[in-house]
Every structure is written in structure tokens, then in C-alpha cells.
Amino acid sequence: MEEPGVRQRKKAATGSSYGHETDDEAKSGSALPKIYVLLAAVLVLALYNFLALVKRPLNQFLGTPTRHLPGVRTNYVPTFTADEAKQDAVVEAFKHAWFAYERDAMGDDEYHPISHAGSNLTKAGGIGYTVADSIDTMIIMGLEDEYQRARAWVADKLSFERDGNFNTFETTIRVLGGLLSAYHLSGEDPVFLEKAEELGSRILPVFETESGLPLSLINLALREGVQDNDNGGYISTAEASTIQLEFRYLAYLTDEDTYWEKAEKVMAVLRASATPSGLASIFVDPKMGRYQTSSIRIGSRGDSYYEYLLKQYLQTNQTELVYREMYATAMTGIHTHLVKRGLSSQLLYIAELNPERNQNGEIGWRLTPKQDHLVCFLGGSLMLGATTSGALVHNVSIPPRTDELTEQGERDWLTGVELIKTCMATYDTQTGLAPEIAHFRILGDGVDDSVAPADWYIKGARPNAPPPFDARYILRPETVESIFIAFRLTGDPKYRDYGWAIFQAIEKHCRIPTGGYASVINVDQVPVEYDDKMETFLMSETLKYLYLLFADSSVLPLNEYVFNTEAHPLPVFNPTIRTGFS
């Protein structure tokens, strides 16, 4: 029998008015569709898109009343003005975090608030991960003094001459992305573009593989790509496919097409290796350019692949239809294979598919009712996709109407709304913070109903025992990211209420009185026990999204900016070279 998680409720679980799946999801092992199924699906999709295109004008001509869009409340007044008091509270939290880092560890990659110390990612020294990750937040919040000191450090002390191996993906999204965003938001201060171009040129050698897929590590001083032997030389799908926004924008700014071409080649290789379902396993071989048999999930090592399909389409002003196609196929694959509902409260969650080899050596797939906190980005992403790639009109209303969305757009919108609801449900813990991983109840799961919660639980959590890794909260931003997007698309004040509740829980349980914020080892234990680390994404993402949630909607509008996966806003632009695998 599997050990249940022991979790005391702070409030009753909320039900759902939608359907309930009763299949034994844990033993799902159906094979993915074959290629001829995809061909038929393409024909059906083409016909569907034509019918969807004429739906709105036909309904208007016939005088058909607009149907209420599920997931949009009708009993609220949309709010788009700033809540200055809550904004000020978030700014104070950022300053509490930044001042501690600046006092104890200025220039170091990471910060440890309890020991008042910094650390770097290589023995050769760091490249200012925390500074680069935080500087655009200072600009957005109007923290001029802090910004000027951070800018001076970048101009005078930031060096990439480090003979050590840095993660290609993390360096791109945090440092390159941060520098590019700071360049734009600062009114094009050249110091940021100069540093960004230097870093981009040092990273380029990772693409020198047989397939064009990037290696996982880069030695910045030697300008050499390095294989990650921990994963058999494979690179995670998310790492390979979550550097495109940054390199494409760098190419646009510098007129150096090689940055674009290298990043785009990655997407062409992944598309050629894709399954008909549009789902991607989490590892890919940089030599052969093919997916490896491994888990399929929207959490770790897979998440931002799906995120950047939509965002690449949006970044170039919806001109590259190949990404719209890839995104639509992937979202249908997610709905077909991974969207499930839990028992009792009917919470919608995104499951994982894990490969298993049977006695005959054949590989099947087992569905696992596990959802990483990382998956919570998908709620807002689906809603954003519904109002852009899934829209029938160019400017969708706020909140959207049914006659403005295709059927796929309506589907994605509803799933996004429901997934945010589920992610908020995982914050129903003793601390009001969500765990790193949640497992959902399914029929026949072997969990004792008398001691385990009826909807979701933390696997391995037991009374009077060390907490499992799953029970941690490490200041993650994904839920507040989705809340921010949902609020911008609806104006519904409930999303601000959600965000404020999360912020208050962070303030109560993660704030270190002497400065900074720390991760919590067990979200179901009060008083909390700390892990002495303040992740850089607290200042880059979590606090930025919270600030923008309470800002006026004219600040960084979603139709003018795309946020990279580290929450660095980059402007939408029209490409100046042939793109979209052309």
C-alpha cells in the first residue's frame, strides 16, 4: 500500500460543475496515434477552422444571442486600475530581498539569507545571475537608486571570462534574457546590449553538434559547448527549446542573423522528430536530433517547450504560422492524453506519461497522477493562447466572448481557468504555500481513504518523519504568473485576491527578519523550517508578477510584450528576415 500524505485542511475543498472521469488512469497504456491518424486530423482541422471562421458573422446575421463563456463570471465589475497599497507592499518585499543580497553577496550568482552569504555556480566564479535576473524588475518598479547601483555593477564588474561550465538554458533565460529586457526597458542603454551580445557570442558554440541541437553546458571562457554526462549526453527538451525568444530578439537588435538561424534550427529539428500527438518526451539526443524514450510531462524538463511554442508565435506579431500549428497540435495532445480529474472535488490536473517495458520487451505508457508546481504556468498560458492563436478576431474582448473564440480556443480557455483553480487548491496547506509536487487521488491508487485527503496529497509525507522533497516551497512563481495573465484577460478581482493571499503567505513564512527570503522545507509544518537559499526567480518572477498583478493594465500590456520563461519582458516585433523555417 502506498504511503498517504497527511495534510490538515485549512478550508473545505471546492467542487466543480464539470464531468468526472472514472477510468483507472494509473494503468492507462494506450499507444500514441499513428501517422495516418494525424493526416486525417489535419483535414478535419482545416474544415473546422473554416466553420469556426464564419461562426461569428453568421450568428450576428441571424441575431443569435452570445453564449456565456464558461469560466467567466458575470457578477463582477472588471478592474484595471492599480491597487497602489498592494503594489507598495510588493515593492517593499523586493527591497527587503535586494538589500540583503546587495549587502552580503553583491555580484554572486546565488544568495543564502540565513548565513548571510553568496555562492557562485562554478569554481571559476560567477556571472551575476541574481543581478542580471533582477535589474528589469527594478526598472518596472521605479527603483532608480537600486537600478543605478546594479547598472554600475554590470558596466564595471560583470565578466564572462569564467573558465567553468554554465548551464546553457539557465544562462540564456536568466542572464541573456535579463540583459535584453533591461536594454529595452532602460530606453536602450547600450551597456546592456553590449554585454548581451558578448554573452550570446560566447554561447553560440553549444549549437556545433551534428543535429544543431545545443549542448547542455557552455564554458564561457573557452567558448566551448560541453556535454552533460549526468543525462547520458542527452539534453532536456525544455532546455533545447527555451532559448529562442532570447536569441531571436538578440538577432533582431544586432542584425546578426546567425543567432536567429541557430535558435530556429532547433525548432525545425524538434518538429521533424515530433510524434503525431504533438507531445514531447523530456530528453532529446543532440547528436541524432531525435527524441529519446523518456517521460512525457508538462513539468520539469518539458514545461517551457510548450510555453515557447505560443510565445514564439506571439513574439513576431503572429506572423510565423508554424508555431501556431505546433502549439495547436500540442494543446490537443495535452487534452487528449494528459488532462484528467481527481476524485471527490473533481480538480482538473495535468498528469504525466511514463514509459514502461513489459515482459516481452515492448514499451507501454503508464499515466501518473502527479503534477509539478511548474505545471501551473499552463493555466495562464492556455488562456493567453485561447485569446490569440485560438481567436476568431484580432482584438478579443476583456473578458472574451464565445463568438470571439474557436472551439479549441473555448476548450483551452476553460482548461486554463480550471487549472488555475487546481493550482490555488494546492496552496490549501498549513502555511498557505504550495508544495513542489502534488499527487492526485485516482480509483485504485491504494491510498487509505481514512487518513489521506480525498483530492490531492504530498507523496511520502508522514507524521514525525523527515518531509519529502515534494513538500518544499522554493518561492516558485508559476501560479502567480498564471494569475497575472488571467487578471489581465478578465479584469476579475478574484485573481488579485488569489495573488494577495499567496503574497501574504510568503511574507509570513518565508521572510527572514535580517533580510531576504528563504525556501520552506515543509509547507504543512508550522512553524516552518527553512532551506537557506533565496532563488533568483523570487526577484525576477514571483515579485515581478505580483507587482504587475496590482499594476494598471497599461503597464507592459500583453499584446505588446512576451515574457520569457524567467519573466523578462521582451517587445513584440515584426521580423526583418525570412523566418518560420523558411
Side-chain angles (χ1 to χ4, degrees):
M1 179 181 296
E2 183 176 338
E3 288 287 353
V6 178
R7 177 162 51 89
Q8 297 298 319
R9 283 308 206 180
K10 293 177 69 179
K11 54 185 178 291
T14 305
S16 170
S17 58
Y18 299 96
H20 177 200
E21 299 208 10
T22 59
D23 294 338
D24 186 355
E25 298 161 358
K27 297 183 178 179
S28 173
S30 59
L32 298 178
K34 296 182 179 179
I35 187 66
Y36 63 83
V37 178
L38 175 62
L39 296 175
V42 169
L43 294 175
V44 173
L45 180 62
L47 177 61
Y48 153 73
N49 282 334
F50 171 76
L51 295 174
L53 189 64
V54 302
K55 180 175 72 171
R56 187 186 190 206
L58 183 61
N59 285 343
Q60 290 178 335
F61 176 77
L62 296 175
T64 305
T66 301
R67 183 167 55 87
H68 173 58
L69 182 66
V72 173
R73 298 193 302 169
T74 58
N75 59 342
Y76 75 95
V77 177
T79 303
F80 301 106
T81 56
D83 187 328
E84 294 183 359
K86 290 183 173 64
Q87 273 190 300
D88 290 345
V90 176
V91 171
E92 193 282 327
F94 179 91
K95 293 167 70 172
H96 184 76
W98 174 258
F99 287 160
Y101 166 77
E102 188 178 25
R103 176 193 68 207
D104 299 330
M106 184 61 178
D108 288 342
D109 289 331
E110 298 181 325
Y111 179 53
H112 309 279
I114 297 174
S115 56
H116 302 280
S119 62
N120 290 312
L121 296 174
T122 74
K123 294 180 180 179
I127 54 174
Y129 262 54
T130 297
V131 179
D133 229 3
S134 305
I135 198 165
D136 62 350
T137 308
M138 300 173 193
I139 299 173
I140 293 167
M141 291 182 174
L143 297 175
E144 181 65 20
D145 292 342
E146 293 81 357
Y147 163 71
Q148 289 296 341
R149 295 196 298 273
R151 181 200 176 279
W153 187 90
V154 170
D156 301 333
K157 297 183 179 181
L158 175 58
S159 173
F160 301 123
E161 197 64 32
R162 305 296 190 198
D163 188 4
N165 297 334
F166 292 85
N167 182 276
T168 302
F169 158 74
E170 297 288 0
T171 302
T172 300
I173 66 170
R174 302 192 192 208
V175 184
L176 182 59
L179 291 170
L180 290 171
S181 180
Y183 171 73
H184 173 77
L185 295 176
S186 65
E188 301 186 350
D189 186 329
V191 69
F192 297 117
L193 183 56
E194 290 168 6
K195 293 292 186 180
E197 188 168 12
E198 179 190 352
L199 178 58
S201 68
R202 289 176 181 265
I203 294 175
L204 274 180
V206 299
F207 296 101
E208 296 173 1
T209 62
E210 295 177 36
S211 67
L213 296 181
L215 294 170
S216 296
L217 303 171
I218 178 66
N219 185 304
L220 293 174
L222 301 180
R223 298 175 184 247
E224 292 180 354
V226 180
Q227 179 176 285
D228 183 1
N229 293 322
D230 289 344
N231 296 311
Y234 299 147
I235 185 172
S236 79
T237 301
E239 290 181 351
S241 60
T242 313
I243 54 180
Q244 282 67 28
L245 296 184
E246 299 80 6
F247 274 92
R248 284 153 42 113
Y249 186 46
L250 181 60
Y252 174 77
L253 293 175
T254 61
D255 288 325
E256 292 290 343
D257 292 353
T258 186
Y259 295 122
W260 194 298
E261 292 163 355
K262 297 292 187 183
E264 185 175 73
K265 175 66 179 299
V266 173
M267 300 309 301
V269 170
L270 294 179
R271 182 171 184 252
S273 181
T275 64
S277 70
L279 299 178
S281 58
I282 61 171
F283 284 111
V284 61
D285 185 348
K287 293 182 179 179
M288 302 300 294
R290 295 182 180 178
Y291 288 110
Q292 299 303 298
T293 301
S294 51
S295 298
I296 293 174
R297 59 176 179 244
I298 316 301
S300 62
R301 300 188 181 277
D303 51 354
S304 46
Y305 165 75
Y306 304 95
E307 176 188 357
Y308 270 35
L309 290 180
L310 174 64
K311 289 183 175 180
Q312 287 179 86
Y313 174 61
L314 299 180
Q315 183 185 38
T316 50
N317 207 18
Q318 304 184 35
T319 59
E320 298 177 282
L321 298 183
V322 64
Y323 296 115
R324 180 180 182 176
E325 171 201 326
M326 292 175 71
Y327 174 75
T329 301
M331 293 308 102
T332 296
I334 288 173
H335 280 86
T336 301
H337 299 286
L338 304 182
V339 172
K340 300 296 175 183
R341 288 191 182 275
L343 300 178
S344 180
S345 56
Q346 302 282 289
L347 292 173
L348 181 149
Y349 66 93
I350 310 298
E352 297 183 359
L353 281 169
N354 295 300
E356 289 187 341
R357 194 175 298 275
N358 63 24
Q359 294 178 345
N360 298 323
E362 299 170 335
I363 293 178
W365 296 87
R366 177 177 289 273
L367 202 67
T368 303
K370 165 183 171 286
Q371 180 175 289
D372 296 357
H373 190 285
L374 289 165
V375 175
C376 289
F377 88 90
L378 186 62
S381 182
L382 281 166
M383 295 173 74
L384 181 61
T387 57
T388 52
S389 72
L392 295 169
V393 296
H394 183 64
N395 294 311
V396 174
S397 304
I398 301 177
R401 303 194 308 262
T402 53
D403 61 345
E404 296 174 329
L405 304 182
T406 64
E407 289 184 17
Q408 179 169 311
E410 286 190 43
R411 178 202 67 189
D412 291 355
W413 175 273
L414 178 57
T415 299
V417 169
E418 292 253 322
L419 185 57
I420 291 175
K421 174 183 171 184
T422 298
C423 290
M424 285 305 303
T426 64
Y427 280 77
D428 180 14
T429 63
Q430 287 298 295
T431 59
L433 300 169
E436 181 73 359
I437 298 173
H439 279 73
F440 290 81
R441 297 295 308 277
I442 59 174
L443 290 175
D445 58 13
V447 177
D448 189 344
D449 294 337
S450 65
V451 296
D455 46 11
W456 68 273
Y457 63 98
I458 301 172
K459 185 177 180 179
R462 297 184 296 274
N464 304 315
F469 176 83
D470 293 9
R472 292 171 179 259
Y473 175 72
I474 61 172
L475 307 169
R476 282 208 181 275
E478 290 78 21
T479 299
V480 294
E481 173 186 358
S482 281
I483 289 170
F484 157 67
I485 295 172
F487 177 74
R488 285 289 180 92
L489 297 178
T490 65
D492 192 335
K494 76 177 183 181
Y495 292 113
R496 281 184 166 175
D497 293 340
Y498 290 167
W500 185 244
I502 293 173
F503 175 73
Q504 287 181 307
I506 293 172
E507 284 291 288
K508 182 176 182 180
H509 297 292
C510 302
R511 184 181 177 107
I512 304 301
T514 55
Y517 293 78
S519 303
V520 169
I521 291 177
N522 185 357
V523 296
D524 264 333
Q525 174 184 309
V526 177
V528 298
E529 181 181 354
Y530 294 118
D531 181 17
D532 186 16
K533 186 176 182 180
M534 185 175 82
E535 297 283 354
T536 71
F537 49 67
L538 171 72
M539 292 190 285
S540 172
E541 299 187 71
T542 307
L543 294 179
K544 181 186 293 164
Y545 281 129
L546 285 168
Y547 177 85
L548 292 173
L549 174 64
F550 300 114
D552 185 278
S553 61
S554 64
V555 180
L556 300 176
L558 295 179
N559 64 330
E560 297 179 17
Y561 288 88
V562 290
F563 289 77
N564 88 336
T565 197
E566 194 72 7
H568 296 304
L570 304 173
V572 171
F573 61 88
N574 290 308
T576 55
I577 65 174
R578 290 176 60 85
T579 64
F581 304 174
S582 58

